[in-house]
Each structure stands twice: as structure tokens, then as C-alpha cells.
Amino acid sequence: MIAFIKNLVLEAGTLCLEGQKKLTSHDLEFKSDKDIVTQTDKKVEAFLVKAILERYPDHGIQGEEYGVVRAKSGFKWIIDPIDGTTSFVHRLPFYSISIALEKAGELVLGVVYAPATGQLFYAEEGKGAFAGSTPIHVSDTQKLDNAVMATGFACLRAGLKDNNLPIFNEIVPKLRDVRRFGSAALDLCYAAMGSLDGFWEMNLNIYDIAAGTVILREAGGVVTDFTGGRQFPEKGFAASNKGLHDELIHILTKYCASA
Ligand code: 2AM
Ligand code: CA
């Protein structure tokens, strides 16, 4: 199963790279004032859905662009054909194809591929996390002073009044530094390989974080909502190594009402 999905994302990656070369303003559609989708997002999702349903006809699918195909079994694939569409459109390398599998309501498999950098991340429940064929682990950073974290502003693109800016103002001075790549799936993989120490964001959707969540957990990390609970991404999304998580949640928990 994992080998099938790994091959599939590599093929989908070629579609992304080809689509990006030919990208013109005619390929863009606006889902809202700032939320863009391209023909490539749609083409990649259609390609992935067709291939997965051919192989697993009784499985369900939840994709960002075309919505839900109902499951006739307990399996559901959660797909973001391009996570980081803004980076894709602006020809920055930080976008990814993200595919997760949910079995009886639990996330059990995740694959994230960044075609522009060639990085392929994957994990299956209980089997560890990998970048290429190399096992990956979260960092052992214990203090926010020494931590580099990522965040994002989906909340601003969605036009929310309660947003990440007050949180950003509070956390950034406590960290060594912050990065903003624009793909939640990749942020989670960078945390899984220990390049980042953590990541938080609000107003994400399940397809942004499902695959990265499996990969981060298998790399030894922890994923919660802003209160340390399981209601993510609806009540905020916080991910880090286990040593930093309490300190991160201590800050985020008071912003939970706005998450
Ligand atoms: P996307 O590129 O698939 O839309 C970056 O901040 C993260 O937020 C990315 O995972 C991005 O996914 C997601 N995102 C960006 N704008 C959004 C919006 N308006 N609503 C929800 N999620 C958004
Ligand atoms: Ca997307």
C-alpha cells in the first residue's frame, strides 16, 4: 500500500512540475479574494482519486478540490493535491502533495512529497517515519529559547477577525526564530526530521495536516489542538517534540476561543 502511494505521488509530482512550467494567469481561479486554486491542483487531485479508486474501489476519499467520495468500507484517503498553492503559483519550492489514510477513524498512513526539492516523506502507524529511505526523528530541543518554529496565516486568507497575529507577537520573541513556508504538510515533515522544533496554525483543514500528522507522530512528535486536546484542526493546531509541547500549549491555550 505505501509503495503504491509513494509511486503515485512521484507521478503526481511530475504533473506539478510540468503544470508550474506552463502556468499562466488563465490557470488561476479564486475560491475567495485571496484563496487561489490552479488547473494543476484539480488535475493532480483527479489523477490521484482515479488511481486510488481503481486500486481500492470500496475506499472513501476526501480531497480539497472535489470533496468527498463516500466509503463502502472503513478506509478513507485524505488528499491535498497541492498544499501550499500560493508557493506553487509564486514558483517557490515549498509546496507538497499530501495523502493520508484513515482506517476506522484513525490516521494510519501519511505520504508527503515536495516535487521542487525531491523530498519524499512517509510513515505508517507503528513503523517509524522516513525521508527517502532514511529514518527521521524530531529534535531534542527542550526550551523555546533554542527552538525554531513555523507558523502560517490561513486565518488571514480566510478573512477571520480572530487570527494568528496576537499569537505570533507573543510567541516569536520567546523563540530563537520563526519560519513561514506556506505548506502545513511540509512544516510537519520539517518538524518530523528535526529541522524545525514545532509548528502552530489556526483555521487549517484536515487535508492540510492529516499526512504530516502521521509522519510527525511516527518521528516521535506530538500533535494537539491549542488546549492540548484532540479537537484539531478545528480548535487550533500545535505540533512539536514532546519536550516543548507543554510550553507551547501553555501559550496557545488562552487563544483557543479564537482558534
Ligand atoms: P493550501 O495551499 O492547500 O490552501 C498555509 O498557511 C496553510 O494554510 C497551507 O496548508 C494552506 O493550504 C492553508 N490555507 C491557506 N489559505 C487557506 C484558507 N483560506 N483557508 C484554509 N486553509 C488555507
Ligand atoms: Ca491545496
Side-chain angles (χ1 to χ4, degrees), residues 41 64-65 80-83 85:
D41 294 65
E64 172 165 11
E65 311 305 341
D80 193 343
I82 301 184
D83 185 52
T85 301

Side-chain angles (χ1 to χ4, degrees), residues 78-80 83 98-100 107 109-110 112 183-189 199-201 203-217 223-224 231-234 236-239:
I78 303 172
I79 299 175
D80 193 343
D83 185 52
S98 171
I99 304 182
L107 293 167
L109 177 154
V112 173
S183 164
L186 272 186
D187 290 329
L188 286 166
C189 293
F199 166 69
W200 84 92
E201 187 158 352
N203 199 234
L204 292 176
N205 292 294
I206 186 67
Y207 44 76
D208 298 316
I209 51 97
T213 291
V214 182
I215 293 165
L216 184 87
R217 282 176 172 160
V223 166
T224 68
Q231 285 173 271
F232 60 83
E234 298 77 14
F237 188 76

Side-chain angles (χ1 to χ4, degrees), residues 16-200:
C16 289
L17 294 170
E18 283 168 0
Q20 202 182 39
K21 267 193 221 146
K22 298 186 205 138
L23 194 70
T24 71
S25 56
H26 300 295
D27 294 328
L28 303 188
E29 271 174 47
F30 288 81
K31 294 202 268 189
S32 64
D33 282 354
K34 293 180 183 166
D35 203 2
I36 38 184
V37 59
T38 71
Q39 291 304 324
T40 306
D41 294 65
K42 294 182 178 182
K43 192 173 170 182
V44 170
E45 186 166 318
F47 165 77
L48 295 172
V49 170
K50 182 169 179 284
I52 290 173
L53 286 180
E54 261 168 29
R55 177 130 178 172
Y56 304 111
D58 62 338
H59 287 193
I61 307 246
Q62 179 178 356
E64 172 165 11
E65 311 305 341
Y66 293 109
V68 176
V69 176
R70 268 194 301 135
K72 296 176 210 104
S73 70
F75 292 93
K76 181 168 83 173
W77 296 90
I78 303 172
I79 299 175
D80 193 343
I82 301 184
D83 185 52
T85 301
T86 303
S87 293
F88 175 77
V89 168
H90 286 255
R91 296 193 172 79
L92 293 163
F94 306 111
Y95 67 90
S96 59
I97 299 156
S98 171
I99 304 182
L101 177 65
E102 201 182 74
K103 182 181 172 187
E106 296 294 327
L107 293 167
V108 294
L109 177 154
V111 177
V112 173
Y113 179 51
T117 64
Q119 287 169 301
L120 176 63
F121 301 93
Y122 58 93
E124 275 179 284
E125 197 186 20
K127 294 190 182 169
F130 298 84
S133 53
T134 310
I136 52 173
H137 301 282
V138 292
S139 72
D140 58 7
T141 306
Q142 298 293 317
K143 286 165 56 183
L144 290 183
D145 268 344
N146 303 326
V148 176
M149 294 204 179
T151 189
F153 298 92
C155 47
L156 295 180
R157 271 172 57 190
L160 296 189
K161 192 163 84 39
D162 290 328
N163 64 55
N164 192 17
L165 291 177
I167 307 177
F168 187 80
N169 283 339
E170 182 174 345
I171 295 186
V172 174
K174 295 185 165 68
L175 299 174
R176 177 181 289 169
D177 210 342
V178 71
R179 292 290 180 270
R180 197 287 190 247
F181 295 114
S183 164
L186 272 186
D187 290 329
L188 286 166
C189 293
Y190 294 155
M193 68 188 282
S195 298
L196 291 172
D197 301 293
F199 166 69
W200 84 92

